[in-house]
Amino acid sequence: MEQATLSSAAPGGATANIEDLPLTPRVSIVVPALNEAQNIPLVLPRIPGEYEIVLVDGGSTDGTIEAARACRPDARIVTQQRRGKGEAIECGVAAATGDIIVTLDSDGSQRPEEIGLFVDALVAGADFVKGSRSIEGGGSTDFTPLRALGNHFLGGVANTLFGASYSDITYGYNAFWHTEADRILGGGDGFEGELLMPIRAAQAELAVTEVPCQEDARIHGESTLRPFRDGWRILKMFVRERVQHGRRLDTAKGTTAAAPAAELKLATEIA
């Protein structure tokens, strides 16, 4: 496997209890998809055959499921119950049988060849691994100056609110131990569910590591990303999460600490 330069990104550091980890972990790749029939044959065959593929279809009408079965007959197909990427990830994780979960976009923007970096980092002791386009070795061919500026700003907000040090908060290439799913997932049905995964990892003080990733432009189709609309939505989401669930989990009570009154007022104003 390719080796990565690792960087610690959360208060838990980058070392988990290695003695408790499986010697040969099984790996499941969760791939949310909605009308990606053109991209699926260009993505799924690049996933190593020893990994379980769980494709979660969000109600595609273009033959996405058929395309997946044609190019990877071994893939497990799951139909999500509601709509949204966050809910798709939750459905995929629930169906996965692996010890390690890796989330991978189906549009070709994230490289399956980098999966090994995430697996290596988890086996080395991390609880949660986040891909980053911003650390040494990372990059993007689809990062406009406006998107880069917004990502930097939102990352600063998230790191301040949750005491983390993420370098690329909006990139959704993530991996974690299946046993940590309950502490990481549940942030919402839409893209909020994906973006809150690293936040929940920081709140739980998990051992977090970043690995460098190269982002490509989606191969076919149009992106639905709207920088101003989505950026504002993400900002409100981070503040709401801080107010509702706090900066750190109260491990003794299994809840999160309450936010100060000033933060409650700020969240009301922003919402």
Side-chain angles (χ1 to χ4, degrees), residues 30-32 43 85 103-110 112 171-173 194:
V30 174
V31 186
V43 175
K85 192 172 185 182
T103 63
L104 179 73
D105 283 353
S106 55
D107 61 4
S109 61
Q110 296 171 350
Y171 195 47
Y173 205 166
E194 178 182 61

Side-chain angles (χ1 to χ4, degrees), residues 5-46:
T5 300
L6 308 181
S7 98
S8 175
T15 304
N17 189 352
I18 297 179
E19 294 180 356
D20 294 334
L21 305 180
L23 294 177
T24 308
R26 298 164 300 167
V27 180
S28 296
I29 314 301
V30 174
V31 186
L34 176 61
N35 293 325
E36 297 286 2
Q38 287 184 292
N39 292 321
I40 287 294
L42 303 175
V43 175
L44 296 193
R46 294 159 57 193

Side-chain angles (χ1 to χ4, degrees), residues 46-59:
R46 294 159 57 193
I47 298 175
E50 65 268 25
Y51 297 157
E52 175 185 54
I53 298 175
V54 182
L55 183 127
V56 185
D57 184 69

